[in-house]
Every structure is written in C-alpha cells, then in structure tokens.
C-alpha cells in the first residue's frame, strides 16, 4: 500500500541520548516535512525538504537535524534528547512544493524523553 | 504574529449538523485547509479553499471568506465515526502552513 512509513511508532528515551526517527515514502513526492504535535498546540513544522538534496528550517528546528539523500527517505535526528522534545512526531509529504496540495501523513512516532 | 483560532471542543448529536469555525490572521494567504484527525491517528485531508465561497464534498462542506479571515467546516448527518479532531491550516505568503490547535468534536447518540 502506497504511503508514508515512520519508525519507531513509539520510543522511550533517556535524556542526552541520540535518536533518529525514520520516514520513508513510496509516492515519489518532492516535498517532505517533519512536524511535532503537542496537546493544545497546532502542528509545528520542525524541518522540511522541497526536493532531494535540499532541506530547510521550520518554526521549531533547534535540537533537530534532517537529511534528504534521496526522494524516498527523510530521517529526523535528535542529537541529544531533552524532556521538552517529548511529543508525537509526524512525517508528511506533498507532491508539489507550493503547499497548496494535499499533505499525506505517516502514522506518527510517539517519543518520550525522560 | 500569525494566528489561527478555532474552538477547543464541540459536542453534537448523531444525525444532526455541526459547524466548526476557524478565524485566521496571517501574513498573506495562499489557501485554507481542513484536516480530520482521529485520536491516536494521523491527520487526513478533508478540503482546500482558496477562493471565497462554499465547497461541498458529500456530507462535508467548507466555506471561506478571505475579507473576514474566516472559514467554517460544516458536517451534515453526523455519524459516530465523525468523532475526531478537526484541524484548520492556512498557507501564508511564503506557502508555510500555519496550523490551528484543532477542534475536538464529540458525537453523542
């Protein structure tokens, strides 16, 4: 089934540890995004990539990094996790880059940092 | 600053009609989106409005007034499966999506 796959679906992590959330899509979409979703707040953009080989910072990029080596994969890395990074993380993709198309979301990765 | 406002929670009865409002203040406007998100699941696309007026899609309709910075999502013939959060998002002048916190809709039998 075509779509976006995220891994892991859930993780408990000790503060200070490094963690990579994986995201893979098979729809050949150009644009990919990482959001975090916290209770009472709207989705907040962490990083994005308009096409393979390029990345950009979103609204809340500090403490996170991304890479886009190819069209399909867009991993998100927390270099040294802190408790404020406890959240649900969603990866998404869009066929265009103008943010006027439909976003397709992965099922989310629930991360708890202790 | 940029802001999207929508009610935190609404309750409606199965079979009835409910209107979820969204007001926005953004730097520029390149369209407004509604997404549905069931608890513990990913958001899924419902509608996109870029011109004023009503867009109808089955039981769901979305309305936009750009001059008023206002949109609503209308759900008719409510079903229990419509219990979910409804997220409003606006694409600003840089095509960045600004998201509201979502409206949790509770459907009662």
């Amino acid at each position: 089934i075509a779509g976006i796959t995220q891994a892991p679906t859930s993780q408990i992590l000790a503060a200070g540890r490094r963690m990579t959330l994986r995201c893979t899509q098979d729809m050949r979409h150009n644009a990919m995004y990482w959001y975090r979703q916290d209770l009472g707040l709207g989705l907040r953009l962490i990083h994005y990539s308009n096409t393979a080989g390029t990345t950009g910072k979103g609204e809340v990029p500090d403490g996170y990094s991304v890479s886009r080596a190819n069209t399909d994969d867009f991993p998100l890395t927390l270099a040294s996790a802190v408790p404020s990074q406890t959240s649900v993380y969603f990866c998404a993709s869009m066929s265009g880059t103008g943010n006027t198309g439909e976003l397709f979301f992965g099922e989310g990765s629930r991360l708890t940092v202790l | 600053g940029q802001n999207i406002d929508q009610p935190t929670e609404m309750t409606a009865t199965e079979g009835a009609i409910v209107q979820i409002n969204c007001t926005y203040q953004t730097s520029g406007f390149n369209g407004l989106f509604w997404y549905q998100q069931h608890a513990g699941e990913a958001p899924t696309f419902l509608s996109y409005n870029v011109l004023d007026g009503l867009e109808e899609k089955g039981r769901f309709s979305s309305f936009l007034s750009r001059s008023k910075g206002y949109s609503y999502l209308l759900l008719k013939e409510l079903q229990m499966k419509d219990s979910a959060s409804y997220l409003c998002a606006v694409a600003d002048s840089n095509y960045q999506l600004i998201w509201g916190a979502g409206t949790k809709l509770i459907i009662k039998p």
Side-chain angles (χ1 to χ4, degrees):
Chain A
I1 297 177
I4 297 183
T5 303
Q6 289 184 233
T9 55
S10 181
Q11 182 76 45
I12 299 174
L13 187 66
R17 297 299 294 269
R18 181 184 179 89
M19 177 73 195
T20 295
L21 303 180
R22 300 184 297 279
C23 176
T24 299
Q25 55 110 350
D26 60 4
M27 296 175 284
R28 308 302 293 173
H29 286 170
N30 290 323
M32 296 188 74
Y33 309 85
W34 273 106
Y35 288 95
R36 59 178 290 173
Q37 187 174 40
D38 302 291
L39 197 63
L41 298 176
L43 287 164
R44 291 184 291 170
L45 182 65
I46 304 170
H47 285 286
Y48 66 93
S49 169
N50 286 332
T51 189
T54 69
T55 63
K57 294 182 179 180
E59 179 186 357
V60 288
D62 294 343
Y64 306 95
S65 64
V66 292
S67 62
R68 187 88 184 275
N70 56 61
T71 298
D72 298 343
D73 301 302
F74 191 44
L76 176 73
T77 297
L78 290 68
S80 179
V82 295
S84 62
Q85 291 177 312
T86 294
S87 187
V88 180
Y89 292 85
F90 285 101
C91 181
S93 71
M94 184 187 297
S95 59
T97 57
N99 259 332
T100 57
E102 176 182 350
L103 274 174
F104 293 85
F105 286 86
E107 290 303 309
S109 296
R110 182 174 296 275
L111 184 65
T112 302
V113 183
L114 301 176
Chain B
Q2 308 202 92
N3 196 49
I4 308 287
D5 285 319
Q6 47 181 137
T8 303
E9 186 175 296
M10 298 181 70
T11 302
T13 304
E14 189 177 16
I17 299 173
V18 71
Q19 178 175 311
I20 302 174
N21 296 326
C22 171
T23 58
Y24 63 89
Q25 289 179 306
T26 57
S27 54
F29 178 85
N30 280 299
L32 185 143
F33 298 80
W34 284 98
Y35 280 77
Q36 180 189 60
Q37 186 177 24
H38 286 101
E41 297 183 8
T44 55
F45 173 83
L46 286 178
S47 67
Y48 170 66
N49 294 66
V50 67
L51 299 176
D52 290 350
L54 188 68
E55 295 276 346
E56 297 185 78
K57 191 185 294 185
R59 293 189 299 115
F60 292 9
S61 302
S62 56
F63 172 83
L64 174 67
S65 169
R66 288 172 296 171
S67 63
K68 296 181 179 178
Y70 168 71
S71 172
Y72 67 73
L73 181 69
L74 192 71
L75 292 74
K76 303 176 185 175
E77 301 169 15
L78 286 169
Q79 302 175 10
M80 297 303 294
K81 68 178 182 179
D82 297 329
S83 292
S85 288
Y86 292 86
L87 314 181
C88 175
V90 172
D92 68 10
S93 58
N94 295 319
Y95 292 93
Q96 284 277 54
L97 280 178
I98 312 301
W99 294 82
T103 298
K104 182 178 181 180
L105 179 63
I106 300 168
I107 310 295
K108 295 186 175 179

